[in-house]
Protein backbone atom coordinates (compact mmCIF):
# COMPACT_ATOMS: atom_id res chain seq x y z
CA UNK A 1 0.00 0.00 0.00
CA UNK A 2 1.20 3.51 -0.80
CA UNK A 3 2.27 5.49 2.22
CA UNK A 4 0.05 8.47 2.94
CA UNK A 5 2.19 11.62 3.32
CA UNK A 6 2.06 13.31 6.70
CA UNK A 7 -0.09 16.42 6.95
CA UNK A 8 1.94 19.64 6.83
CA UNK A 9 2.06 21.99 9.78
CA UNK A 10 1.40 25.15 7.72
CA UNK A 11 -0.88 25.81 4.76
CA UNK A 12 -0.27 29.00 2.81
CA UNK A 13 -3.44 29.94 0.90
CA UNK A 14 -2.61 32.08 -2.14
CA UNK A 15 -5.55 33.31 -4.28
CA UNK A 16 -4.58 34.35 -7.82
CA UNK A 17 -6.50 36.35 -10.38
CA UNK A 18 -4.68 37.71 -13.45
CA UNK A 19 -1.22 37.70 -11.86
CA UNK A 20 0.77 36.38 -14.84
CA UNK A 21 3.51 39.01 -14.68
CA UNK A 22 4.69 38.22 -11.16
CA UNK A 23 3.13 34.99 -9.91
CA UNK A 24 6.31 32.93 -10.45
CA UNK A 25 8.36 35.43 -8.47
CA UNK A 26 5.81 35.29 -5.66
CA UNK A 27 5.90 31.49 -5.60
CA UNK A 28 9.70 31.58 -5.43
CA UNK A 29 9.64 34.10 -2.61
CA UNK A 30 7.18 32.12 -0.48
CA UNK A 31 8.78 28.71 -1.03
CA UNK A 32 12.28 30.06 -0.34
CA UNK A 33 11.09 31.43 3.01
CA UNK A 34 9.21 28.28 3.98
CA UNK A 35 11.97 25.89 2.82
CA UNK A 36 14.45 27.52 5.20
CA UNK A 37 11.96 27.88 8.07
CA UNK A 38 12.05 24.28 9.25
CA UNK A 39 8.25 24.00 9.06
CA UNK A 40 6.50 21.38 6.96
CA UNK A 41 4.14 23.20 4.65
CA UNK A 42 1.94 23.19 1.59
CA UNK A 43 1.39 26.11 -0.76
CA UNK A 44 -2.26 25.98 -1.81
CA UNK A 45 -2.60 28.17 -4.91
CA UNK A 46 -6.15 28.96 -6.05
CA UNK A 47 -6.68 30.36 -9.52
CA UNK A 48 -9.89 32.39 -9.45
CA UNK A 49 -10.73 31.86 -13.13
CA UNK A 50 -7.99 34.16 -14.44
CA UNK A 51 -8.53 35.58 -17.91
CA UNK A 52 -4.82 35.92 -18.67
CA UNK A 53 -2.04 33.31 -18.73
CA UNK A 54 -1.86 32.81 -14.94
CA UNK A 55 -3.33 29.31 -14.83
CA UNK A 56 -1.15 28.02 -17.67
CA UNK A 57 1.94 29.39 -15.93
CA UNK A 58 0.95 27.75 -12.66
CA UNK A 59 0.44 24.37 -14.30
CA UNK A 60 3.74 24.71 -16.13
CA UNK A 61 5.82 25.28 -12.99
CA UNK A 62 4.23 22.80 -10.59
CA UNK A 63 7.21 20.45 -11.03
CA UNK A 64 9.46 23.17 -9.61
CA UNK A 65 7.45 23.49 -6.41
CA UNK A 66 6.84 20.05 -4.86
CA UNK A 67 4.91 21.54 -1.92
CA UNK A 68 2.45 23.33 -4.18
CA UNK A 69 -1.16 22.27 -4.72
CA UNK A 70 -3.30 23.96 -7.36
CA UNK A 71 -7.06 24.49 -7.35
CA UNK A 72 -8.55 26.03 -10.50
CA UNK A 73 -12.00 27.57 -10.20
CA UNK A 74 -14.37 27.06 -13.11
CA UNK A 75 -15.86 30.52 -12.55
CA UNK A 76 -14.72 33.65 -10.76
CA UNK A 77 -15.77 33.46 -7.11
CA UNK A 78 -13.85 36.34 -5.53
CA UNK A 79 -10.94 36.41 -3.10
CA UNK A 80 -13.19 35.63 -0.14
CA UNK A 81 -14.47 32.47 -1.80
CA UNK A 82 -10.92 31.42 -2.65
CA UNK A 83 -9.75 31.95 0.92
CA UNK A 84 -12.75 30.14 2.39
CA UNK A 85 -12.36 27.08 0.16
CA UNK A 86 -8.60 27.14 0.64
CA UNK A 87 -8.97 27.16 4.43
CA UNK A 88 -11.54 24.37 4.34
CA UNK A 89 -9.25 22.29 2.11
CA UNK A 90 -6.08 23.11 4.07
CA UNK A 91 -4.25 20.23 5.70
CA UNK A 92 -2.12 22.35 8.01
CA UNK A 93 -2.89 23.31 11.60
CA UNK A 94 -1.78 26.87 10.87
CA UNK A 95 -3.31 28.66 7.87
CA UNK A 96 -1.67 31.70 6.31
CA UNK A 97 -3.53 34.10 4.05
CA UNK A 98 -1.61 36.39 1.75
CA UNK A 99 -1.84 37.97 -1.70
CA UNK A 100 0.03 37.26 -4.93
CA UNK A 101 0.49 40.88 -6.05
CA UNK A 102 3.92 41.49 -4.43
CA UNK A 103 2.50 43.96 -1.87
CA UNK A 104 3.06 41.92 1.29
CA UNK A 105 6.46 40.80 2.68
CA UNK A 106 5.78 37.11 2.17
CA UNK A 107 9.35 36.26 3.11
CA UNK A 108 8.22 37.00 6.69
CA UNK A 109 5.52 34.30 6.75
CA UNK A 110 7.60 32.02 9.04
CA UNK A 111 7.74 34.87 11.56
CA UNK A 112 3.95 34.82 11.81
CA UNK A 113 3.93 31.06 12.36
CA UNK A 114 6.62 31.34 15.05
CA UNK A 115 4.54 33.99 16.80
CA UNK A 116 1.58 31.60 17.06
CA UNK A 117 3.91 28.87 18.31
CA UNK A 118 5.45 31.14 20.93
CA UNK A 119 2.06 32.44 22.08
CA UNK A 120 -0.32 29.48 22.45
CA UNK A 121 -3.03 31.79 23.83
CA UNK A 122 -3.10 33.81 20.57
CA UNK A 123 -5.35 32.51 17.79
CA UNK A 124 -4.54 34.94 14.98
CA UNK A 125 -1.66 37.23 14.09
CA UNK A 126 -2.18 39.99 11.53
CA UNK A 127 0.36 41.99 9.56
CA UNK A 128 -0.33 45.63 10.45
CA UNK A 129 0.74 47.82 7.55
CA UNK A 130 2.78 50.88 8.47
CA UNK A 131 2.21 52.63 5.12
CA UNK A 132 -0.42 52.74 2.38
CA UNK A 133 0.97 52.19 -1.11
CA UNK A 134 -2.15 50.97 -2.88
CA UNK A 135 -3.89 52.60 -5.79
CA UNK A 136 -6.46 55.36 -5.10
CA UNK A 137 -4.44 56.34 -2.02
CA UNK A 138 -6.42 59.58 -1.70
CA UNK A 139 -9.56 57.52 -1.07
CA UNK A 140 -8.05 54.48 0.67
CA UNK A 141 -6.40 56.28 3.58
CA UNK A 142 -9.44 58.21 4.94
CA UNK A 143 -11.85 55.37 4.11
CA UNK A 144 -9.77 52.75 5.93
CA UNK A 145 -9.24 55.06 8.91
CA UNK A 146 -12.99 55.72 9.16
CA UNK A 147 -13.87 52.02 8.87
CA UNK A 148 -11.22 51.09 11.44
CA UNK A 149 -12.58 53.69 13.88
CA UNK A 150 -16.09 52.23 13.49
CA UNK A 151 -14.76 48.72 14.07
CA UNK A 152 -12.79 49.80 17.15
CA UNK A 153 -15.79 51.61 18.55
CA UNK A 154 -18.13 48.68 18.02
CA UNK A 155 -15.71 45.96 19.11
CA UNK A 156 -14.27 47.92 22.03
CA UNK A 157 -10.73 46.90 21.01
CA UNK A 158 -7.76 48.60 19.38
CA UNK A 159 -7.31 47.39 15.79
CA UNK A 160 -4.08 48.60 14.12
CA UNK A 161 -5.07 47.10 10.75
CA UNK A 162 -8.55 45.78 10.08
CA UNK A 163 -8.22 44.49 6.53
CA UNK A 164 -4.63 43.39 6.05
CA UNK A 165 -4.29 40.53 3.57
CA UNK A 166 -1.35 38.92 5.40
CA UNK A 167 -2.30 36.92 8.47
CA UNK A 168 -1.85 33.52 10.12
CA UNK A 169 -4.39 31.77 12.33
CA UNK A 170 -5.26 28.42 13.83
CA UNK A 171 -7.38 26.54 11.32
CA UNK A 172 -9.46 24.74 13.94
CA UNK A 173 -10.48 28.03 15.54
CA UNK A 174 -11.49 29.53 12.18
CA UNK A 175 -13.75 26.73 10.97
CA UNK A 176 -17.02 27.90 12.63
CA UNK A 177 -16.63 31.34 11.02
CA UNK A 178 -15.77 30.37 7.44
CA UNK A 179 -19.45 30.28 6.46
CA UNK A 180 -19.66 33.98 7.33
CA UNK A 181 -16.99 35.02 4.83
CA UNK A 182 -18.29 37.16 1.95
CA UNK A 183 -16.94 36.46 -1.55
CA UNK A 184 -15.05 39.75 -1.93
CA UNK A 185 -12.22 41.69 -0.29
CA UNK A 186 -14.11 42.20 2.98
CA UNK A 187 -13.42 38.57 3.92
CA UNK A 188 -10.28 39.73 5.74
CA UNK A 189 -12.34 42.23 7.74
CA UNK A 190 -14.83 39.47 8.54
CA UNK A 191 -12.27 37.00 9.91
CA UNK A 192 -10.76 39.76 12.07
CA UNK A 193 -14.12 40.83 13.50
CA UNK A 194 -15.25 37.22 13.98
CA UNK A 195 -12.19 36.41 16.09
CA UNK A 196 -12.37 39.64 18.11
CA UNK A 197 -16.11 39.38 18.71
CA UNK A 198 -15.70 35.87 20.11
CA UNK A 199 -12.79 36.68 22.44
CA UNK A 200 -10.17 34.93 20.33
CA UNK A 201 -6.92 36.86 20.98
CA UNK A 202 -5.47 38.61 17.93
CA UNK A 203 -1.94 40.03 17.83
CA UNK A 204 -0.43 42.40 15.28
CA UNK A 205 3.04 42.52 13.72
CA UNK A 206 4.09 45.73 11.91
CA UNK A 207 4.92 45.13 8.24
CA UNK A 208 5.90 47.17 5.21
CA UNK A 209 3.45 47.37 2.35
CA UNK A 210 4.75 47.71 -1.22
CA UNK A 211 3.10 49.08 -4.31
CA UNK A 212 1.23 46.27 -6.06
CA UNK A 213 2.29 44.71 -9.33
CA UNK A 214 -0.34 44.69 -12.04
CA UNK A 215 -3.78 46.25 -11.98
CA UNK A 216 -5.64 46.66 -8.71
CA UNK A 217 -9.05 44.98 -8.29
CA UNK A 218 -9.98 47.34 -5.47
CA UNK A 219 -12.87 49.77 -6.11
CA UNK A 220 -12.57 52.59 -3.53
CA UNK A 221 -16.22 53.56 -3.09
CA UNK A 222 -17.95 50.23 -3.68
CA UNK A 223 -15.50 48.23 -1.56
CA UNK A 224 -15.41 50.85 1.22
CA UNK A 225 -19.20 50.62 1.49
CA UNK A 226 -18.94 46.83 1.65
CA UNK A 227 -16.29 47.02 4.39
CA UNK A 228 -18.50 49.25 6.56
CA UNK A 229 -21.55 47.04 6.06
CA UNK A 230 -19.51 43.94 6.86
CA UNK A 231 -18.22 45.44 10.11
CA UNK A 232 -21.80 46.24 11.13
CA UNK A 233 -22.97 42.76 10.12
CA UNK A 234 -20.28 41.07 12.18
CA UNK A 235 -20.93 43.09 15.32
CA UNK A 236 -24.71 42.69 14.87
CA UNK A 237 -24.24 38.95 14.41
CA UNK A 238 -22.18 38.45 17.56
CA UNK A 239 -23.12 41.40 19.80
CA UNK A 240 -26.26 43.25 18.58
CA UNK A 241 -26.64 45.17 21.84
CA UNK A 242 -23.38 47.01 21.16
CA UNK A 243 -24.87 48.43 17.94
CA UNK A 244 -28.53 48.87 18.77
CA UNK A 245 -28.57 49.92 22.42
CA UNK A 246 -26.70 53.24 21.98
CA UNK A 247 -29.07 54.17 19.13
CA UNK A 248 -32.09 53.27 21.25
CA UNK A 249 -30.87 55.23 24.27
CA UNK A 250 -30.14 58.31 22.19
CA UNK A 251 -33.60 58.25 20.61
CA UNK A 252 -35.33 57.65 23.95
CA UNK A 253 -33.20 60.34 25.60
CA UNK A 254 -34.17 62.88 22.99
CA UNK A 255 -37.78 61.79 23.34
CA UNK A 256 -37.79 62.34 27.12
CA UNK A 257 -36.08 65.72 26.76
CA UNK A 258 -38.74 66.74 24.27
CA UNK A 259 -41.38 65.36 26.67
CA UNK A 260 -40.25 67.81 29.34
CA UNK A 261 -40.24 70.65 26.80
CA UNK A 262 -43.75 69.72 25.62
CA UNK A 263 -45.13 69.60 29.17
CA UNK A 264 -43.79 73.08 29.86
CA UNK A 265 -44.52 74.63 26.49
CA UNK A 266 -47.93 73.14 25.73
CA UNK A 267 -49.58 73.13 29.16
CA UNK A 268 -48.97 69.46 30.02
CA UNK A 269 -49.80 68.27 26.53
CA UNK A 270 -47.48 65.91 24.64
CA UNK A 271 -46.92 66.04 20.88
CA UNK A 272 -47.16 63.02 18.61
CA UNK A 273 -43.48 63.26 17.61
CA UNK A 274 -42.43 62.97 21.26
CA UNK A 275 -44.46 59.83 21.82
CA UNK A 276 -43.17 58.41 18.54
CA UNK A 277 -39.51 58.98 19.54
CA UNK A 278 -40.00 57.27 22.92
CA UNK A 279 -41.89 54.39 21.31
CA UNK A 280 -39.28 53.88 18.57
CA UNK A 281 -36.48 53.94 21.15
CA UNK A 282 -38.30 51.37 23.26
CA UNK A 283 -38.87 49.12 20.23
CA UNK A 284 -35.15 49.23 19.37
CA UNK A 285 -34.33 48.27 22.98
CA UNK A 286 -36.62 45.26 22.69
CA UNK A 287 -35.09 44.37 19.31
CA UNK A 288 -31.58 44.60 20.80
CA UNK A 289 -32.53 42.30 23.68
CA UNK A 290 -34.13 39.76 21.33
CA UNK A 291 -31.09 39.90 19.06
CA UNK A 292 -28.77 39.37 22.02
CA UNK A 293 -30.86 36.37 23.10
CA UNK A 294 -30.60 34.86 19.61
CA UNK A 295 -26.82 35.51 19.46
CA UNK A 296 -26.28 33.85 22.85
CA UNK A 297 -28.42 30.85 21.86
CA UNK A 298 -26.00 29.99 19.04
CA UNK A 299 -23.73 27.87 21.15
CA UNK A 300 -21.61 26.73 18.20
CA UNK A 301 -20.46 30.23 17.14
Amino acid sequence: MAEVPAAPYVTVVLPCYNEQDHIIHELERITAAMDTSGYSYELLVIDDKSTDNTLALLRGVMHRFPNMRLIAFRRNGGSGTARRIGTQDARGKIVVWTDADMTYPNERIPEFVRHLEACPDVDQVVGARTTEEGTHKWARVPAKWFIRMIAQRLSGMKIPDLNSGLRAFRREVSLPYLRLLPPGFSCVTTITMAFLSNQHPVDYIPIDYAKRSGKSKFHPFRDARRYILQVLRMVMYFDPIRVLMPIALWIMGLGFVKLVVDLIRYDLRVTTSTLLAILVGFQIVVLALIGDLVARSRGGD
Side-chain angles (χ1 to χ4, degrees):
M1 294 180 63
E3 184 177 345
V4 178
Y9 182 63
V10 180
T11 296
V12 180
V13 177
L14 186 68
C16 298
Y17 178 69
N18 292 350
E19 312 285 2
Q20 65 177 13
D21 295 333
H22 44 268
I23 184 58
I24 306 303
H25 187 191
E26 195 70 274
L27 294 178
E28 293 172 343
R29 191 161 63 132
I30 294 173
T31 54
M34 294 305 299
D35 286 343
T36 59
S37 69
Y39 295 115
S40 60
Y41 75 97
E42 63 175 347
L43 177 55
L44 184 52
V45 183
I46 302 175
D47 180 75
D48 193 17
K49 191 59 177 177
S50 295
T51 57
D52 63 1
N53 204 36
T54 299
L55 181 57
L57 286 173
L58 290 171
R59 286 172 172 162
V61 299
M62 287 192 67
H63 66 281
R64 291 177 49 192
F65 305 101
N67 296 95
M68 172 180 158
R69 284 201 292 142
L70 177 62
I71 297 177
F73 283 179
R74 301 185 67 174
R75 63 181 181 86
N76 182 264
S79 62
T81 302
R83 288 183 169 97
R84 174 178 56 80
I85 292 177
T87 304
Q88 290 171 335
D89 199 55
R91 298 190 298 133
K93 293 182 178 180
I94 303 298
V95 174
V96 177
W97 284 0
T98 189
D99 288 340
D101 56 11
M102 305 299 294
T103 54
Y104 291 101
N106 288 331
E107 65 277 1
R108 294 180 61 184
I109 287 176
E111 180 182 345
F112 285 68
V113 180
R114 284 193 294 269
H115 187 94
L116 289 177
E117 271 194 324
C119 306
D121 60 319
V122 175
D123 291 324
Q124 182 173 189
V125 56
V126 178
R129 293 164 292 184
T130 56
T131 59
E132 174 59 71
E133 298 296 338
T135 56
H136 310 294
K137 187 174 180 179
W138 59 272
R140 279 178 179 261
V141 173
K144 288 185 176 181
W145 177 86
F146 179 68
I147 296 168
R148 186 162 54 87
M149 291 300 104
I150 293 176
Q152 288 185 162
R153 179 69 177 177
L154 294 177
S155 67
M157 301 177 189
K158 183 174 177 59
I159 307 174
D161 195 333
L162 179 63
N163 56 348
S164 170
L166 176 57
R167 60 190 60 223
F169 52 86
R170 306 187 192 279
R171 178 179 179 273
E172 184 177 359
V173 176
S174 73
L175 291 179
Y177 311 121
L178 295 181
R179 60 187 174 83
L180 304 176
L181 297 183
F185 290 108
S186 52
C187 64
V188 290
T189 302
T190 303
I191 201 72
T192 303
M193 295 300 296
F195 272 54
L196 291 175
S197 299
N198 283 273
Q199 304 304 311
H200 297 295
V202 177
D203 280 356
Y204 300 87
I205 296 178
I207 61 170
D208 295 326
Y209 186 64
K211 188 175 181 179
R212 86 173 319 277
S213 298
K215 184 179 179 181
S216 175
K217 292 92 177 176
F218 180 84
H219 300 276
F221 298 107
R222 185 183 68 191
D223 289 323
R225 177 180 62 84
R226 289 177 178 173
Y227 279 130
I228 294 175
L229 290 177
Q230 196 61 23
V231 168
L232 292 174
R233 287 192 189 104
M234 286 299 97
V235 179
M236 281 289 293
Y237 186 86
F238 294 113
D239 192 2
I241 283 183
R242 190 178 290 273
V243 177
L244 296 177
M245 195 61 74
I247 298 173
L249 294 179
W250 268 104
I251 293 175
M252 290 184 70
L254 291 174
F256 282 115
V257 169
K258 194 169 185 301
L259 174 64
V260 174
V261 173
D262 287 351
L263 293 176
I264 297 174
R265 187 175 181 181
Y266 300 114
D267 297 327
L268 302 180
R269 287 182 297 172
V270 180
T271 61
T272 303
S273 60
T274 299
L275 294 175
L276 184 62
I278 296 174
L279 181 60
V280 168
F282 178 75
Q283 289 177 328
I284 297 176
V285 169
V286 173
L287 181 63
L289 294 174
I290 294 175
D292 183 67
L293 180 62
V294 172
R296 293 178 184 276
S297 68
R298 293 192 305 261
D301 287 352

